[in-house]
């Protein structure tokens, strides 16, 4: 019977010898558990929870077929029967939960961050410090054999199939295009030759694993690099990959070195599914689309509009293991939505840490963080309904405690109320919606417009949690009290008018956000606007799908972003998103000045010392984004009266605070109380 809420998403997919329960694929993600202590037990639990949550098919993080294919030194590979025993923990757990799982085989090629990396030609990638060794013809044959061995071992470990990673600029992709393949043998030169490597891999893997084993081929449908594949080459490759026995083709968008955001929060929802749509009808096997699909509504829309046969979502399953279970009964409002911030998933991986999720700190810590119902429920006051207060109060309520959540303003969300005003960060609203729903469901007593005071707190609760957040830092510059000076709160939350010429003092995450807000305005970009701004050609006229030049967007204001420290602005922004923010403000003509000493603010200017000379910048307004200080007034007052308090989030530590830490603080305290 068809699902009344999301009929396309819940339509089973018949693959002949097997059937997938629905059209959702949990896309491959490296979690860092692959190399962690006890990693296989932890991955077993991680994937099993997603299978229990009802996703149609899971693809694991990438597993190298040999040492040369490592993503980084000693990263996961599957080359022996010992590996088979370890992987069978994962497949056993997923099958017990009625799920299906494929293992991704990923050969990193020249993206391998180690000296053993190999490539079609010895050309270093712009994002790696290691120059790859050129594979000899024997080396190519050996690598193909290793793919085959890896697939056979995956089958022996009980996987339902493999995904062969042919996109994102890894080894297979490097064979396909001329900037990385300068070979003169039968694996280079003509497209026929450049395609040989992937075709031989899929062909030989199919022959080795037999017909009843899924082979998903992840095909780079849009390289987003100069001289990448042309559309006709992409189609040719898809046809040939189908011909040698792939079960499905998944979509890859952009090489890692591409200078176009493909999954970050400013990419419009479903902003790249048009690429897969172009391929529909060109091959007979099912096509999977991907990138920035994070709600069942978007997934349904994409499928209903014929953009693909199946949708891949990766990070949304970190944010909520039960995404599909909730969608099945039309309960989207209870889904914890991935906001595409990358802060706890990809950024962690780049820092060699285990991935988790900003909005769901339990992700990848399933064996460590668990909600246990309390045997002695308490009365608990949580003061402040920003990210830390929200996570703490709801987790406490799940455990059976009786919680009063005090919020002095008229709405929950704290700093997230401002974050969601930033162009491209609209999804941050979803976190507020999610917590708002949880508060109702769990019976947290939310007291809006209610200031907690010693009178209504002291002696009235078993535990008191202070999550009063932060106050914007006041700056000590002559003239800082001039009416032209605004704080980021005035601008983002109170919507105070801002003139045409603006200086921003402080170039941290919020300074960058405000610069984008003031230059771009508040209109959400359409897919076409986004693509044009970043130089992507929907018509796919040229190789790689790039426009000759990105479309110029006129900034709404003239903005100067300033900081006292020397060097490049935005150095501390997230690993995977910092470059996007830096590029975004460059596109909007934001002027940046570092190494300044602020001297004085006047009624229409700011003066500052820059390399030992005084400069004057004429402005209509100055917006202060100089970080925050903990708001601990109440905590100090209560403590002085002998009231024991727990302080979390920004109230505890404002320096380097982010929502990831705040939400995790809340959950970790709640499971202890
Ligand atoms: P922040 O990252 O600490 O940046 C504060 C900025 O203000 C710095 O550029 C600092 O630069 C300047 N500053 C500090 N004290 C000052 C003073 N007394 N006078 C003048 N300037 C001063 O704080 P934030 O931008 O408010 O961000 C808060 C947190 O939210 C951070 O953890 C951030 O990572 C996170 N966040 C991240 C993003 C993102 O990644 N896109 C977006 C929003 C927020 P100088 O000292 O060099 O002048
Ligand atoms: Fe999504 Fe951010 Fe969580 Fe990553 S950390 S899964 S991007 S919400």
């Amino acid at each position: 019977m068809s699902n009344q809420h999301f009929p396309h998403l819940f339509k089973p997919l018949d693959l002949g010898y097997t059937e997938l329960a629905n059209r959702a694929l949990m896309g491959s993600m490296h979690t860092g558990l692959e190399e962690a202590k006890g990693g296989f037990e932890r991955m077993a639990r991680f994937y099993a929870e997603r299978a229990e949550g009802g996703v149609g098919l899971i693809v694991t993080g990438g597993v190298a077929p040999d040492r040369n294919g490592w993503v980084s030194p000693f990263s996961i590979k599957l080359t022996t029967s010992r590996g088979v025993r370890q992987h069978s923990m994962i497949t056993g757990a997923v099958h017990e939960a009625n799920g299906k799982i494929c293992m991704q085989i990923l050969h990193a090629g020249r993206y391998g961050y180690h000296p053993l990396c190999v490539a079609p030609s010895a050309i270093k990638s712009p994002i790696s410090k290691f120059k790859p060794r050129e594979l000899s013809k024997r080396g190519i044959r050996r690598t193909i054999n290793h793919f085959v061995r890896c697939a056979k071992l995956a089958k022996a470990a009980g996987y339902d199939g493999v995904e062969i990673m042919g996109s994102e600029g890894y080894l297979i992709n490097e064979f396909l295009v001329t900037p990385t393949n300068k070979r003169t043998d039968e694996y280079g030169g003509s497209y026929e030759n450049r395609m040989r490597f992937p075709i031989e891999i899929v062909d030989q893997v199919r022959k080795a694993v037999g017909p009843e084993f899924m082979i998903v081929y992840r095909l780079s449908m849009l390289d987003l690099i100069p001289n990448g594949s042309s559309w006709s080459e992409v189609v040719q490759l898809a046809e040939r990959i189908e011909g040698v026995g792939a079960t499905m083709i998944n979509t890859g968008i952009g090489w890692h070195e591409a200078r176009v955001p493909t999954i970050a929060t400013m990419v419009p929802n479903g902003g790249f599914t048009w690429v897969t749509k172009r391929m529909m009808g060109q091959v007979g096997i099912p096509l999977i689309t991907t990138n920035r699909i994070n709600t069942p509504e978007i997934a349904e829309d994409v499928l209903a509009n014929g953009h693909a046969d199946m949708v891949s979502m990766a990070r949304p399953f970190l944010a909520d293991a039960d995404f599909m279970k909730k969608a099945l009964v039309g309960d989207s409002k209870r889904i914890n939505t991935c906001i595409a911030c990358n802060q706890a998933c990809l950024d962690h991986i780049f820092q060699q840490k285990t991935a988790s999720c900003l909005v769901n700190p339990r992700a990848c810590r399933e064996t460590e963080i668990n909600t246990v119902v309390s045997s002695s429920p308490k009365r608990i006051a949580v003061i402040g309904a920003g990210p830390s207060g929200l996570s703490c109060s709801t987790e406490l309520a799940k455990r059976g405690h009786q919680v009063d959540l005090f919020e002095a303003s008229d709405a929950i969300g704290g700093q997230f109320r401002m974050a969601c005003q930033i162009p491209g960060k609209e999804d941050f609203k979803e976190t507020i919606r999610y917590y708002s729903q949880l508060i109702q469901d769990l019976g947290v007593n939310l007291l809006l417009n209610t200031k907690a005071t010693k009178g209504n707190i002291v002696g009235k609760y078993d535990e008191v949690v202070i999550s009063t957040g932060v106050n914007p830092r006041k700056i000590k510059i002559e003239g800082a009290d001039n009416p032209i000076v605004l704080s980021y709160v005035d601008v983002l939350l109170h919507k105070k008018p801002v003139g045409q010429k603006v200086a921003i003092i402080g170039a941290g995450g919020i300074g960058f956000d405000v610069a984008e807000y003031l230059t771009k305005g508040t209109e959400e970009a359409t897919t076409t606007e986004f693509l044009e701004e970043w130089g992507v050609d929907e018509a796919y006229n040229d190789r790689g799908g790039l426009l000759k030049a990105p479309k110029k967007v006129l900034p709404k204001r003239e903005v100067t972003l300033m900081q006292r420290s020397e060097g490049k602005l935005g150095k501390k922004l997230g690993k995977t998103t910092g470059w996007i923010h830096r590029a975004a403000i460059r596109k909007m003509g934001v002027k940046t000045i570092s190494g300044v000493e602020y001297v004085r603010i006047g009624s229409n200017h700011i003066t500052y010392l820059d390399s030992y000379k005084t400069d004057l910048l004429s402005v209509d307004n100055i917006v202060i984004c100089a970080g925050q200080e903990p708001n601990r007034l109440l905590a100090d007052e209560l403590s002085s009266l002998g009231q024991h308090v727990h302080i979390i989030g920004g109230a505890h530590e404002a320096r380097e605070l982010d929502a990831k830490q705040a939400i995790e603080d809340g959950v970790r305290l709640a499971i202890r109380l």
Side-chain angles (χ1 to χ4, degrees), residues 343 425 473-477 488 505-511 513 562-565 572-574 577 581 598 625-628 654-658:
Q343 272 176 255
K425 284 196 172 175
R473 178 176 290 127
K474 296 238 165 43
I475 52 159
K476 295 187 186 81
I477 305 175
Y488 68 88
I505 290 186
I510 295 184
D513 276 356
M562 310 170 88
Q563 72 175 23
R564 297 170 305 178
S565 340
K572 288 195 192 152
L573 296 177
T577 50
H581 293 295
Y598 307 111
C625 303
Q628 293 91 13
R655 199 161 41 93
E656 301 286 316
L657 168 90
D658 56 31

Side-chain angles (χ1 to χ4, degrees), residues 441-457:
D441 291 350
L442 296 166
V444 171
N445 182 29
L446 173 63
L447 302 158
L448 290 176
N449 300 306
T450 309
K451 247 182 134 57
T453 60
K454 59 183 180 191
N456 54 19
I457 299 292

Side-chain angles (χ1 to χ4, degrees), residues 315 318-319 337-345 356-359:
R315 297 168 299 170
L318 279 181
T337 305
C338 163
I339 55 175
C341 63
N342 287 354
Q343 272 176 255
C345 49
S356 186
C357 172
L358 180 142
V359 298

Side-chain angles (χ1 to χ4, degrees), residues 68 107-111 116-124 131-136 140 171 174-175 180-181 183:
N68 299 124
H107 191 303
R110 70 177 191 158
Y111 283 162
L116 304 177
C117 63
V118 293
S121 302
I123 303 168
K124 197 176 85 61
K131 185 172 175 184
R133 175 173 58 80
E134 176 173 320
L135 275 170
S136 64
I140 291 179
L171 182 72
E174 291 159 17
F175 269 88
T180 45
N181 183 349
R183 301 181 72 92

